[in-house]
Amino acid sequence: MSNIEREAMEYDVVIVGAGPSGLSAAIRLKQLDEDLNIVVLEKGSEVGAHILSGAVLDPSGLDALMPDWKERGAPISTKVTKDNFYMLGEAGQVRVPNFPMPPLMNNHGNYIVSMGNVCRWMAEQAEEMGVEIFPGMSCSELVYGDNGEVKGVVAGEFGKNPDGTPSESYEPGMELHGKYVLLSEGVRGSLAKDVIAKYDLSKGREPQKFGLGMKEIWEIDPAKHKEGTVTHTMGWPLGGKAGGGAFIYHAENNQIFIGFVVHLNYKNPNVFPYMEFQQFKHHPMVAELLKGGKRVAYGARAISEGGYQSMPKAAFPGGALLGCSVGLVNVPRIKGNHNAMLSGKAAAEAVVDALKAGRSGDVLEAYETELRTGAVAKDLKRVRNVKPLWSKFGLSASLLLGGFDMWTNNLFGVSLFGTLKHGKTDAASTGKAADYPKITYPKPDGVLSFDRLTNVSFAATNHEESQPSHLKLKDPKVAIEVDYDVFGGPSQRYCPAGVYEYVGEEGDEPKFVVNFQNCVHCKTCDIKEPSQNITWTVPQGGDGPNYGNM
C-alpha cells in the first residue's frame, strides 16, 4: 500500500509515545525554545492508558527536568518508608538484612506512584507549554527522506479489512514530518525495531535481554495496609526454573501493587510465567496479606533487562531512541522511569543545539555521547554485570557475586569482572520440549489466583475485531512444524493474556489460533517465540489495554 497518497503536516519535532521519556523530551524542548512546533503521538486511547501503573519512582529524573514538580502538583506523594527483602521457600521466608546491600539499592527518597497518573500530569504540563498531544494515534510506519534519514511517521490509519486491504471506511492517515523524530515507544516498539535493524544500531552491542512483568492492583484490609512499605522477594515458586522475583508496594487508599517478573531467558519451554505469578500469591506471607481483599486490575508488559552493554546506538539519521526503546532499566533496582526522563531531557537538548546550528535530519551524536557517558550511563554501568551473573550462575551465587560487583563499582568505580556478555537472545535460549520435563501448576482458586481470561477482563483491553490482526505470522507452517512440534508450543504458556492456543483433536495436527483481541501489548511473543515467527505491530489507535481508567 506504498502508493497511497496522504496529507502531510510539518513540525519541528515529532515524538512517538507519551510515556515518561517522550513527555520529558517535549517539556524540555519547550523549556529551551518556546517557539518550537512539537507534536506527541500516543497510541493509547488517552495518555496513560498503556502505562502499566504501580512503580517505585526515583525522582532524580524529574528533579533534573522540573525541580519544582512538587509545587506544580505532581501526583507523587507516597514516600517509601520501609524496605523489605525476603528469600521465599514454599512454606516460609527469610528476611534478608538491608545493611549488606549496596547503597544504590536503598529506596530512601523514592516514591510509590501510579505512572499512569504521573504521565497524565506530565502531559498537562506539556500542553500548557504549547505541545500538541494526540492520543489514539498509532504510528504504523516510518517516512524516509531523500538521503535515507527518518523524516516522519504515518499516523492515524484506520479501516483496513482483516486481510489488510482497505475497507469502505478506510482512512489512510497522515504523514507527520519533523526535522527530528524521537521514538519513545517503550519496550520492543515496532518502529524502534525497524530503525535498529535498518541502521544496524546494535552492531557491536550485546543482545537485548527481557523479562515479563505481570502486575495486579489489590484493595486490601486496612488493618494490613502499611502505606509506603516496599517488599521484594526472590526464590519460590520459580526456584531454578527461571530467574525473576516479586514485589509488593503499599500505595495510597489501602491499595497495593503486587507484581511478578520472570526473566525470559528460561530454557524449559514448559515454564508458564503467568501461573508462577498466580502460585506466588498462595505463599503464606502473601496469602495472609491478600486475605479479605479484592483484585481490581491486571496487566503485563515486557521489561528491558540487558542494561548498559545491550543499549543500541540511540541516535540515527533524523532522530533518536528514548527510554525503554533503548533499554534503560536498572535491573537490580527494578527502576527505569528516572533514566527514561533523563534520556528525553538529553535528546531534547541535543535537538535544540542542532536546530540552532541550522541542522536537521542528521545524527544527534551529542545525545549518543551523553547517554553513554552521563548520568544514565553512571546508573547502568554500576549494575551491568548483575543480569549476566544471574543468568550464568543462578540466584544464590549471583546474589553474592552481583552484590560484590556492585560494592566495588560503588566504592572504586571499577568492576573486577569487566563487562560480562549476555550471549544468546531470549528466543535462542529456549530449549526443545523433549529435553525438559513438563510442569504441573495448581488450578487457580478464584479467590487469590485467577485464570488468564478472567484476569484479562481486568486489563480492560479491547481491539476492533474487523481490523487485521496486529500479531503477524511470518510463516503459518512454522507455528506447527517448529514451534509446536519441536518446542511444544510455548506461546500458549508465555503469553500472559491467552492470545495463542493450539486446538484440535488428540492425534490430529493442531490448528494455531491467534486471539489478538486479548492482547495487552506486552510484546513477549515478539521476544520469546523460539523461531521468531511472530511480529508485534501496532493495532488501530486507541486499541489495547486501558490501564489509565483503573
Side-chain angles (χ1 to χ4, degrees):
M1 299 179 68
S2 58
N3 59 342
I4 294 175
E5 293 186 4
R6 297 182 173 94
E7 295 183 8
M9 295 182 65
E10 303 293 331
Y11 289 88
D12 290 311
V13 184
V14 174
I15 300 173
V16 180
S21 62
L23 292 170
S24 294
I27 289 168
R28 185 59 177 158
L29 285 165
K30 280 293 189 179
Q31 287 175 338
L32 295 172
D33 187 346
E34 62 182 15
D35 295 325
L36 289 177
N37 196 8
I38 303 160
V39 65
V40 178
L41 304 167
E42 165 57 38
K43 67 181 174 69
S45 59
E46 63 173 339
V47 174
H50 291 179
I51 300 292
L52 188 55
S53 293
V56 173
L57 176 67
D58 175 347
S60 60
L62 200 54
D63 287 339
L65 181 69
M66 289 187 288
D68 60 343
W69 55 266
K70 290 182 181 179
E71 291 75 17
R72 289 174 175 265
I76 303 171
S77 58
T78 304
K79 287 186 176 181
V80 175
T81 57
K82 188 174 183 180
D83 258 335
N84 295 317
F85 295 86
Y86 290 98
M87 185 68 70
L88 300 187
E90 185 172 0
Q93 66 278 344
V94 175
R95 172 95 185 263
V96 179
N98 294 61
F99 70 84
M101 295 185 183
L104 63 90
M105 297 295 290
N106 192 334
N107 273 309
H108 177 73
N110 296 332
Y111 294 81
I112 298 172
V113 301
S114 160
M115 282 309 298
N117 288 339
V118 171
C119 285
R120 278 188 286 275
W121 172 80
M122 292 180 70
E124 292 171 0
Q125 307 306 302
E127 287 181 319
E128 288 177 4
M129 301 172 79
V131 175
E132 295 181 34
I133 300 178
F134 297 137
M137 291 287 279
S138 290
C139 297
S140 53
E141 60 183 284
L142 295 163
V143 179
Y144 294 96
D146 295 336
N147 297 316
E149 80 281 8
V150 173
K151 76 168 187 178
V153 296
V154 174
E157 188 176 23
F158 291 92
K160 287 184 179 180
N161 292 313
D163 64 359
T165 59
S167 70
E168 292 181 357
S169 59
Y170 176 70
E171 297 178 18
M174 297 188 66
E175 291 188 5
L176 293 98
H177 299 166
K179 296 172 183 175
Y180 291 99
V181 177
L182 305 181
L183 301 180
S184 55
E185 300 172 287
V187 173
R188 198 76 165 193
S190 54
L191 299 185
K193 188 178 173 183
D194 289 347
V195 160
I196 290 170
K198 179 178 177 62
Y199 298 113
D200 201 12
L201 300 179
S202 289
K203 182 179 180 180
R205 313 289 167 89
E206 285 295 294
Q208 185 59 263
K209 307 293 285 184
F210 299 91
L212 170 61
M214 297 156 285
K215 188 179 298 180
E216 294 174 357
I217 301 177
W218 280 68
E219 292 178 356
I220 64 171
D221 182 345
K224 301 175 184 178
H225 186 257
K226 300 176 182 178
E227 186 172 310
T229 296
V230 167
T231 298
H232 291 100
T233 77
M234 295 169 286
W236 190 87
L238 282 173
K241 298 192 292 289
F247 58 86
I248 302 172
Y249 304 150
H250 288 245
E252 300 170 324
N253 303 319
N254 298 317
Q255 287 192 338
I256 61 168
F257 305 129
I258 181 169
F260 200 85
V261 178
V262 177
H263 300 171
L264 289 176
N265 62 347
Y266 59 82
K267 296 177 181 179
N268 186 343
N270 296 306
V271 169
F272 198 158
Y274 175 84
M275 291 306 299
E276 297 283 347
F277 176 28
Q278 298 307 303
Q279 190 175 3
F280 161 75
K281 291 183 292 177
H282 285 275
H283 187 276
M285 181 183 77
V286 184
E288 178 58 31
L289 177 67
L290 299 180
K291 185 179 179 181
K294 65 177 182 178
R295 162 214 48 184
V296 297
Y298 167 74
R301 61 165 291 181
I303 303 166
S304 60
E305 294 186 337
Y308 184 79
Q309 56 268 59
S310 295
M311 291 165 55
K313 184 173 182 180
F316 55 83
L321 304 172
L322 312 183
C324 282
S325 292
V326 188
L328 304 181
V329 171
N330 184 312
V331 172
R333 298 183 71 202
I334 321 180
K335 293 178 181 62
N337 288 307
H338 63 300
N339 285 335
M341 293 176 184
L342 290 171
S343 74
K345 177 177 178 289
E349 290 167 355
V351 166
V352 170
D353 287 343
L355 293 176
K356 287 181 177 178
R359 293 159 39 208
S360 66
D362 62 341
V363 179
L364 296 166
E365 294 290 359
Y367 169 59
E368 174 70 15
T369 299
E370 170 60 25
L371 208 58
R372 302 293 304 190
T373 62
V376 172
K378 182 180 179 182
D379 185 57
L380 296 181
K381 285 184 76 173
R382 292 183 297 177
V383 302
R384 67 190 182 277
N385 291 323
V386 172
K387 169 69 174 178
L389 284 169
W390 194 335
S391 299
K392 187 172 183 178
F393 298 111
L395 174 59
S396 298
S398 70
L399 284 175
L400 295 174
L401 295 173
F404 173 76
D405 192 57
M406 285 189 285
W407 267 111
T408 59
N409 271 283
N410 183 75
L411 294 174
F412 309 113
V414 296
S415 169
L416 298 182
F417 299 109
T419 298
L420 299 178
K421 295 183 177 181
H422 293 300
K424 297 179 181 179
T425 65
D426 292 330
S429 297
T430 312
K432 296 179 180 179
D435 296 336
Y436 292 91
K438 291 187 177 181
I439 304 171
T440 300
Y441 291 93
K443 184 178 179 181
D445 68 354
V447 179
L448 296 180
S449 51
F450 313 96
D451 66 83
R452 276 184 298 186
L453 294 186
T454 298
N455 239 357
V456 167
S457 69
F458 282 79
T461 194
N462 178 66
H463 296 84
E464 175 56 52
E465 294 188 17
S466 63
Q467 68 178 297
S469 171
H470 62 285
L471 302 164
K472 311 294 185 184
L473 295 183
K474 297 176 184 177
D475 185 347
K477 291 183 179 179
V478 169
I480 303 298
E481 297 172 359
V482 178
D483 294 316
Y484 184 82
D485 291 346
V486 178
F487 296 98
S491 60
Q492 59 192 326
R493 289 177 290 276
Y494 64 58
C495 175
V499 169
Y500 304 102
E501 58 181 334
Y502 289 87
V503 299
E505 297 295 328
E506 188 173 349
D508 295 337
E509 182 177 275
K511 179 182 178 182
F512 187 52
V513 178
V514 180
N515 304 300
F516 73 89
Q517 298 90 346
N518 292 357
C519 182
V520 294
H521 296 197
C522 73
K523 306 169 191 166
T524 302
C525 54
D526 196 298
I527 296 163
K528 185 60 177 173
E529 188 70 354
S531 64
Q532 290 291 274
N533 192 41
I534 302 173
T535 299
W536 186 94
T537 63
V538 291
Q540 291 184 163
D543 283 4
N546 198 340
Y547 302 131
N549 290 333
M550 297 178 178

